[in-house]
Amino acid sequence: MKILLFGKTGQVAKELCNRPNVTAIGRDKADFTKPQKIIEIVKSTDADIIINAVAYTSVDLAEEEFELANIINGTTVKELAKVSASRNIPFLHISTDYVFKGDGNLSWKTSDQTNPQNSYGKSKLIGESGILEAGGPHVILRTSWVFSSHGNNFVKTMLRLASNNNELSIVKDQIGGPTCAKDIADALWKIASDFYAGNGITGIYHFSGKPNASWANFASEIFSQTHQDIKIKQILTKDFLTKAKRPLNSRLDCSSLRIDYGIKQPEWKKSLTNVLANLK
């Protein structure tokens, strides 16, 4: 199985780069602001599977740079999906819970109506729509709250802030499933392997860690596992102003991924233990 991976430096991309028969292409050779270059790469590839781990992920900055976010997360993804479909190469793509409105307290199902509330979510939904329009074999894997031992993420931010503070204010009314980048990479690998074996099922799937938690819960577990006595002041989203609106409900129903691919939700606390060990 030969995999063409777009992305080298992102959290999930790094987890995929070291796997066998993966050709990873970084920004120097695959600039997602230039769709034609991406098309040319796919036209000449001999890969069996294409995985896209490239994304514009600066949620707040996307409010000011929507055109750029739209090109990277939307337009180029659409063109990538079209050329992949023309060659009948399965295309695996990472998306986000931000495509939903983010209200209520039920886990979002893959069939639920999308209604993104910020520019980042809108740009990701444009990419999803482009993949569906392309009509080729594909999997869109929506995930949430990604963390790892590399890149920028909540775990590393908490550890950095804790080094200079004894008390931190953390949001308590946003609920979701923290998801380790390695677990996402493992899920993508299983899906790719099934496609290579002729057993891949095209569709949109959800994947996140369990159990669901608040950001305050997540922070508490980080400090517990690192044996730090940090006081957490639990605050509401309305008291923590950001340029982009954040969803209060990021819960994802991952049942269809388990049914179709046998992939179970990972326990994020166990994954966190491994990430913290790597950070040491």
Side-chain angles (χ1 to χ4, degrees), residues 63-99:
E63 295 301 311
E64 302 173 6
E65 297 183 344
F66 178 65
E67 288 187 10
L68 178 60
N70 183 39
I71 292 172
I72 295 172
N73 293 341
T75 304
T76 299
V77 170
K78 179 178 180 178
E79 294 303 319
L80 178 51
K82 285 169 61 178
V83 68
S84 298
S86 71
R87 298 199 57 197
N88 201 37
I89 302 175
F91 177 51
L92 312 187
H93 176 72
I94 304 167
S95 194
T96 173
D97 66 282
Y98 277 49
V99 297

Side-chain angles (χ1 to χ4, degrees), residues 162-173:
S163 65
N164 296 310
N165 299 275
N166 295 320
E167 179 177 324
L168 295 172
S169 296
I170 311 294
V171 171
K172 69 174 182 179
D173 59 341

